Amino acid sequence: MQKALTLFWQHGYEPTSLSQLKEAMGGISPTSFYAAFGSKEELFKEVLSLYRSAEGRVTDVLHDESLDPRQSIETCLRQSARMQTDSSHPPGCLIVVAATNCGPSNDNIVQALRKERQKNHTAIAAQIRRAASTGDLPASTDLDALTATFNSFLVGLSTAARDGATAAELDGAVDQIMQIWGAPGHAS
């Protein structure tokens, strides 16, 4: 599974061939592959679950209400930047990169990954609404625009990592984006 995860992460869903998958998984036969996974799509769903339980957990902090909302979002961004630049696996985020080059015949994969990204968007929005309700953000804050800003930045980390940005560079970028919010505990 880990080898399949690496292939999908490195090349994307559609460009990763069944031949590559079978070879990476120990040269299993087509019969064994289909008996074990049913299809490439079913294997990908298992890989996605594996990813979410490991590297993909960096966004789980968005659901942590024991942290103040700003800290939750900042921690997510910093963890994500570190994970996406970690040299022990392909750069970027599987949930962002795996379907960027899928054609219409794989729209179900595109939609499944969009749904995963939407969960992060929804969690960021919830943290921002929570901050607004406690006065940690000015009443004049456009909550939807702020949500879109942080979500776009989170998704954009993947492209930056794939383009060779370092963890230090992305950490500095997180410093900059968090200035939008202002200092911890102070609405800007």
Side-chain angles (χ1 to χ4, degrees):
M1 289 296 289
Q2 191 63 44
K3 289 178 181 181
L5 168 60
T6 299
L7 280 173
F8 283 128
W9 197 345
Q10 185 173 18
H11 302 292
Y13 176 79
E14 197 165 292
T16 301
S17 71
L18 282 174
S19 296
Q20 288 173 305
L21 290 166
K22 290 183 290 187
E23 183 178 324
M25 299 171 87
I28 64 173
S29 70
T31 304
S32 296
F33 178 87
Y34 289 111
F37 304 108
S39 67
K40 178 180 168 183
E41 182 177 338
E42 290 304 313
L43 170 61
F44 183 76
K45 288 177 184 176
E46 289 187 38
V47 162
L48 184 57
S49 179
L50 174 63
Y51 177 82
R52 283 291 301 131
S53 71
E55 291 89 354
R57 294 190 68 209
V58 295
T59 59
D60 289 355
V61 69
L62 292 172
H63 303 281
D64 187 346
E65 293 198 10
S66 70
L67 300 174
D68 70 68
R70 183 189 194 283
Q71 184 182 11
S72 172
I73 291 171
E74 182 175 359
T75 300
C76 171
L77 295 177
R78 290 192 192 284
Q79 289 179 163
S80 188
R82 279 191 305 275
M83 181 280 289
Q84 293 189 54
T85 56
D86 185 330
S87 63
S88 69
H89 54 67
C93 170
L94 174 76
I95 293 170
V96 174
V97 302
T100 57
N101 52 1
C102 283
S105 65
N106 288 306
D107 190 56
N108 48 341
I109 297 298
V110 173
Q111 295 305 319
L113 292 171
R114 181 177 292 142
K115 184 177 177 182
E116 287 296 319
R117 291 188 304 273
Q118 185 61 39
K119 290 176 187 177
N120 292 334
H121 182 276
T122 300
I124 290 169
Q127 290 290 1
I128 288 173
R129 282 193 309 276
R130 191 164 67 98
S133 72
T134 61
D136 286 342
L137 289 170
S140 62
T141 301
D142 182 335
L143 303 182
D144 292 336
L146 190 58
T147 298
T149 299
F150 284 112
N151 188 67
S152 296
F153 184 88
L154 176 62
V155 171
L157 288 172
S158 188
T159 300
R162 298 277 286 199
D163 286 348
T166 66
E169 290 169 337
L170 295 181
D171 200 53
V174 173
D175 289 341
Q176 293 298 307
I177 195 87
M178 292 313 297
Q179 288 182 24
I180 292 170
W181 196 300
H186 299 91
S188 55

